Amino acid sequence: MTAFVRSYLFLRRAIGVLGILLPIVVIAGKQLLEGGGLLGSLSGYYYSDLRNVFVGTLCAIGVFLIAYRGYGRVDDIAANVAAIAGIGVALFPTQPVSPTPTEHAIGVAHLVFAAVFFLTLAFFCLFLFTKADGAPTKRKRSRNAVYRTCGIVMLACLVLIVVNGLFFSAATADLHPTLWLESLAVFAFGFAWLTKGQTLLGDQQQAQPSLP
């Protein structure tokens, strides 16, 4: 049982680490390899020399999510939905500056996959990660506060991205708000999964780590 629990903690930690590293690696890597300034969004790095890193990381997160099993059927369905959406974000790139009709359609699919991906991950944080068997420990209550905060941050970032795109995109283009909001949402996602893997706020037990 200990090996079983550790394997699931490893999955959660791996998902969290990949989420946190993705914005750092693609943004810093592009600046080091190509220069030329920041791009408008994380998805835009598909068209940089960091394409393989962007696609590979999202696909790896998708594979880990497919392998993930939670408390019950809802957890498993949510993980599979997030996995498919994450892989869809990688394989259906955002549209380039001057898209063809086909590229535009693919770009729309990209936006749908991205929305489903983040909404499902926020659902994990707000409703699934907070579940517990029996009365929650003090550490579990602290982790729940982290999960809820991360879920709210992800939802707030999505709302702000939409609002900026609809009303302020021209005025704020030089500030790259979508890039930073997407990065913040991905950081929140990674932070929540690291916490779920008990890398952060882990239960202080000697015999065996717990799953909640």
Side-chain angles (χ1 to χ4, degrees), residues 62-162:
V63 170
F64 282 136
L65 285 169
I66 290 172
Y68 175 78
R69 291 295 178 268
Y71 282 102
R73 184 170 177 79
V74 174
D75 302 65
D76 296 342
I77 292 173
N80 290 336
V81 169
I84 293 169
I87 294 172
V89 170
L91 300 184
F92 291 80
T94 188
Q95 63 185 23
V97 177
S98 300
T100 65
T102 299
E103 289 171 335
H104 175 74
I106 292 173
V108 171
H110 174 87
L111 292 176
V112 172
F113 280 124
V116 172
F117 182 64
F118 280 115
L119 288 173
T120 307
L121 293 175
F123 176 74
F124 262 106
C125 292
L126 295 173
F127 301 106
L128 300 182
F129 283 174
T130 53
K131 294 190 296 186
D133 294 325
T137 64
K138 182 178 179 180
R139 284 294 184 96
K140 173 59 175 169
R141 290 194 295 272
S142 297
R143 291 198 296 273
N144 283 351
V146 172
Y147 302 145
R148 293 188 180 102
T149 300
C150 290
I152 291 170
V153 167
M154 281 189 277
L155 292 177
C157 286
L158 286 181
V159 171
L160 290 173
I161 288 170
V162 172

Side-chain angles (χ1 to χ4, degrees), residues 9-209:
L9 293 179
F10 169 79
L11 274 178
R12 293 163 176 172
R13 291 167 182 166
I15 292 170
V17 168
L18 289 173
I20 289 175
L21 287 180
L22 177 60
I24 297 172
V25 172
V26 297
I27 293 173
K30 191 263 182 187
Q31 293 304 112
L32 290 172
L33 294 176
E34 298 181 38
L38 300 172
L39 301 182
S41 67
L42 278 180
S43 299
Y45 285 83
Y46 177 90
Y47 297 103
S48 74
D49 287 347
L50 275 293
R51 172 188 297 185
N52 291 340
V53 173
F54 177 80
V55 172
T57 301
L58 284 172
C59 288
I61 290 173
V63 170
F64 282 136
L65 285 169
I66 290 172
Y68 175 78
R69 291 295 178 268
Y71 282 102
R73 184 170 177 79
V74 174
D75 302 65
D76 296 342
I77 292 173
N80 290 336
V81 169
I84 293 169
I87 294 172
V89 170
L91 300 184
F92 291 80
T94 188
Q95 63 185 23
V97 177
S98 300
T100 65
T102 299
E103 289 171 335
H104 175 74
I106 292 173
V108 171
H110 174 87
L111 292 176
V112 172
F113 280 124
V116 172
F117 182 64
F118 280 115
L119 288 173
T120 307
L121 293 175
F123 176 74
F124 262 106
C125 292
L126 295 173
F127 301 106
L128 300 182
F129 283 174
T130 53
K131 294 190 296 186
D133 294 325
T137 64
K138 182 178 179 180
R139 284 294 184 96
K140 173 59 175 169
R141 290 194 295 272
S142 297
R143 291 198 296 273
N144 283 351
V146 172
Y147 302 145
R148 293 188 180 102
T149 300
C150 290
I152 291 170
V153 167
M154 281 189 277
L155 292 177
C157 286
L158 286 181
V159 171
L160 290 173
I161 288 170
V162 172
V163 170
N164 178 74
L166 290 176
F167 303 108
F168 307 107
S169 57
T172 61
D174 292 340
L175 300 175
H176 310 289
T178 299
L179 173 64
W180 300 124
L181 289 169
E182 286 179 344
S183 297
L184 179 58
V186 173
F187 280 140
F189 147 62
F191 194 75
W193 280 82
L194 276 181
T195 305
K196 187 62 176 174
Q198 298 196 26
T199 299
L200 307 169
L201 296 173
D203 287 327
Q204 297 175 333
Q205 296 182 5
Q206 298 297 324
Q208 164 178 319

